[in-house]
Amino acid sequence: MTLLALAALGLGGAGAQDLAAYNSLAQNLDGAVTARASSAQAALTRLDAAQSALDTLSPTLRNRQIVTGLKDALGSSRAALGRTPAELEAQVLLARGLMRKALYDQTLALLASAPQNGAAQVRVLAREFGLTGDAAAALSSDARAGRLERTAWRLERAAVQKVSASLQAARPAQNTASYVNLARATGWFTVVQDSAGAGTLTVSQFGDALRQLTAGDTAALTTSLTTLRQGTAAFAAALASPPAATGRAPGTQTPTPGTQTPTTPPATTPPAATSPTETTPVTTPPATTPVTPAPSAAQGAAGVYAALGRALAATGHADNASARAALAEAGTALAGAPVALRNAAGFDALGSAIAGAQGRGALRPSDVQALIGGLANLENAAAGQPVSALDGSSVGVSRWFSGWLRVLVFALLAGLTVVPLYLLNLAFGGRNVYWRAILGGLALLMLPLFLEGLFGLLGAFGDLFGAAALRNLTNLTLSQGAYALPIWALLGAAAIGLTAFGFRGLCEQFGLLGNAKPSVQNTTQHTSIDWDEDV
């Protein structure tokens, strides 16, 4: 089917895009990638501007599936800010592929009906596809003359060259460079996926390769890269010669159901960290919804609260691996929060605190509780309400007095608990029942500190070396959860009873309470008192 026939059928739409909005969207997406290397906040600002540009551009896009895909890609780009710069770059590359696909389809449809009105769109296409000098002039000349088949051929050839270069740069290894190159290849193939010259190549094959890379399946990735390179080479061979002036575009065919365009890349940092997203059709409504959702990108504080709640539950029984995964979700949700929350005082500090907790060893429930208090303060600040100084202080303290510093401090204090007990026993011996009671009471009072130091240290080593049995010993500390509070109360009650009994007995021996014992009353006949002999 020729491009003229496609235009007559109205496929892809024949209206012109808002090029100013298109350029603004492109500049801000590319600018977000550049800004992310130095400042996540600056990248967020660029993504906000990109969203405004997309809102302006969307009404002029005829393919509503592409509009949906672009919106999803922007949302995923926001979520990627909580991970790595490479993840953001990959999301932007796929968003840019969708943009070029929309511009390519809509411009060719416009040229088919009114070639004299498409000069501005053709100039943008030339810039987007990297055509300069004579190549750009030839593209413009073919477009003005209504030679749609040669116009499409020049653009497709440029896109396929970029797909081929990106695939050659990708390696069957789980690293950031391969991930970005594969995402770039996917974005460029998106533009020309409907060409008959693509042969058996489909967007789903690129998506499969991305999934294999993120899963660390290098054997399958090697096979996929070989298949993609061979298919791209055949595609390039089909475009080696310019088409004859027959009025038929080389390889352009009616989009068919099942043609897929990825809207977001796998959300991973490094690539193996989490699962990838599925692809979404853009030429026809999708038959199914994505099977594997991306990591949580909930908007607003509710998503952050939910993730922090899961992290708190996990730390409450020493499941620190799950806690760190939940903290990663919290960082993602916070990065995708509404503008009002992101502009509130303390947003950057909270994001930094969540990221710090995610990489911290020996996580404890108090670490996550401090983050929840910080989020509550951020919410109140965004709403113009007073914030809690206590919650703010908790966030600050948890950033330094946590992890291994906390572990070592309490381990040292646990070791020191035996010193006063030893000295007390050395000074007064163990035959006086009252001193023994006082010694027992002091031991019970210090027992929570001893348990915190000993089992906190063993649990930290378990977390460090991945030994679950050691890590679970953290649950024997009395600061781990509410279940320990009754035990703490019983220890305290026993300690109070023993020390009260011991000191009361000593007071009786001194004659301060009740009837003093004879050995103590006749103090004028004794120059010293043997506490070991008095019972």
Side-chain angles (χ1 to χ4, degrees):
M1 181 177 289
T2 65
L3 286 174
L4 186 60
L6 285 175
L9 289 173
L11 295 176
Q17 293 185 27
D18 185 333
L19 295 184
Y22 182 98
N23 291 334
S24 177
L25 178 58
Q27 290 168 4
N28 282 296
L29 284 176
D30 295 342
V33 174
T34 303
R36 178 62 181 86
S38 58
S39 170
Q41 185 59 48
L44 271 173
T45 301
R46 298 304 293 267
L47 289 178
D48 287 340
Q51 182 64 61
S52 298
L54 178 59
D55 293 340
T56 304
L57 177 65
S58 294
T60 66
L61 298 180
R62 296 296 179 265
N63 191 323
R64 305 318 297 172
Q65 288 298 116
I66 288 183
V67 173
T68 300
L70 283 171
K71 290 179 179 178
D72 290 343
L74 267 181
S76 296
S77 296
R78 288 184 186 278
L81 287 174
R83 297 189 285 272
T84 65
E87 175 65 13
L88 173 63
E89 183 179 3
Q91 299 289 353
V92 167
L93 284 171
L94 293 195
R96 297 285 279 117
L98 288 172
M99 291 174 60
R100 294 184 182 105
K101 171 66 173 172
L103 183 64
Y104 172 84
D105 287 349
Q106 216 161 311
T107 299
L108 289 181
L110 175 64
L111 291 174
S113 59
Q116 70 279 5
N117 296 333
Q121 281 79 5
V122 171
R123 285 194 296 272
V124 175
L125 275 175
R127 184 197 70 212
E128 288 284 85
F129 282 68
L131 300 178
T132 59
D134 293 341
L139 178 69
S140 180
S141 176
D142 286 337
R144 283 196 308 271
R147 294 190 289 267
L148 301 184
E149 67 284 352
R150 291 182 69 89
T151 302
W153 169 74
R154 294 183 188 280
L155 294 170
E156 288 181 6
R157 186 176 62 170
V160 171
Q161 288 173 351
K162 295 182 185 301
V163 173
S164 179
S166 298
L167 287 175
Q168 291 301 323
R171 294 289 179 268
Q174 193 177 29
N175 56 52
T176 298
S178 294
Y179 178 59
V180 172
N181 280 311
L182 195 50
R184 182 178 290 108
T186 307
W188 277 107
F189 183 75
T190 295
V191 183
V192 294
Q193 61 178 306
D194 297 329
S195 172
T200 59
L201 278 181
T202 63
V203 173
S204 63
Q205 290 176 296
F206 287 82
D208 289 341
L210 282 169
R211 282 189 288 275
Q212 291 157 4
L213 189 151
T214 60
D217 189 352
T218 54
L221 178 60
T222 300
T223 302
S224 293
L225 284 176
T226 300
T227 301
L228 291 173
R229 287 166 180 163
Q230 291 173 346
T232 304
F235 197 171
L239 298 172
S241 302
T246 61
R248 180 183 179 88
T252 301
Q253 61 186 23
T254 306
T256 58
T259 301
Q260 293 187 319
T261 300
T263 59
T264 55
T268 58
T269 298
T274 56
S275 301
T277 59
E278 291 289 330
T279 58
T280 303
V282 298
T283 54
T284 59
T288 59
T289 56
V291 177
T292 305
S296 176
Q299 300 293 312
V304 190
Y305 274 124
L308 290 178
R310 289 190 290 272
L312 181 60
T315 55
H317 54 268
D319 185 3
N320 287 350
S322 297
R324 292 186 181 97
L327 287 172
E329 292 180 9
T332 299
L334 186 65
V339 176
L341 200 62
R342 294 200 307 273
N343 290 339
F347 177 84
D348 289 339
L350 180 60
S352 177
I354 292 176
Q358 184 182 347
R360 184 179 302 152
L363 271 175
R364 300 298 295 274
S366 60
D367 297 329
V368 185
Q369 289 167 350
L371 296 176
I372 293 174
L375 179 59
N377 271 358
L378 185 64
E379 256 193 322
N380 289 338
Q385 299 176 356
V387 299
S388 168
L390 186 60
D391 286 341
S393 298
S394 295
V395 174
V397 170
S398 69
R399 296 186 67 171
W400 66 271
F401 191 69
S402 57
W404 279 98
L405 175 62
R406 167 180 167 153
V407 168
L408 295 176
V409 167
F410 277 103
L412 177 61
L413 293 176
L416 293 176
T417 57
V418 301
V419 174
L421 300 179
Y422 169 75
L423 294 177
L424 180 63
N425 186 68
L426 182 66
F428 300 104
R431 287 183 293 175
N432 187 303
V433 66
Y434 300 127
W435 281 117
R436 289 201 301 270
I438 293 172
L439 184 67
L442 289 177
L444 291 179
L445 285 176
M446 293 184 181
L447 184 59
L449 183 59
F450 180 79
L451 295 177
E452 179 71 31
L454 175 61
F455 293 123
L457 180 63
L458 294 176
F461 279 122
D463 186 38
L464 179 64
F465 298 115
L470 277 179
R471 187 180 65 243
N472 290 335
L473 291 176
T474 306
N475 295 324
L476 298 179
T477 64
L478 301 188
S479 62
Q480 187 71 353
Y483 60 84
L485 292 179
I487 300 174
W488 200 340
L490 288 175
L491 290 175
I496 292 172
L498 286 173
T499 53
F501 170 77
F503 282 116
R504 184 180 184 279
L506 292 181
C507 289
E508 287 180 346
Q509 288 184 352
F510 274 116
L512 301 176
L513 289 175
N515 294 322
K517 293 188 176 182
S519 62
V520 181
Q521 283 180 320
N522 191 12
T523 57
T524 60
Q525 299 177 9
H526 302 277
T527 58
S528 64
I529 298 175
D530 186 356
W531 295 106
D532 288 336
E533 297 298 330
D534 288 326
V535 180

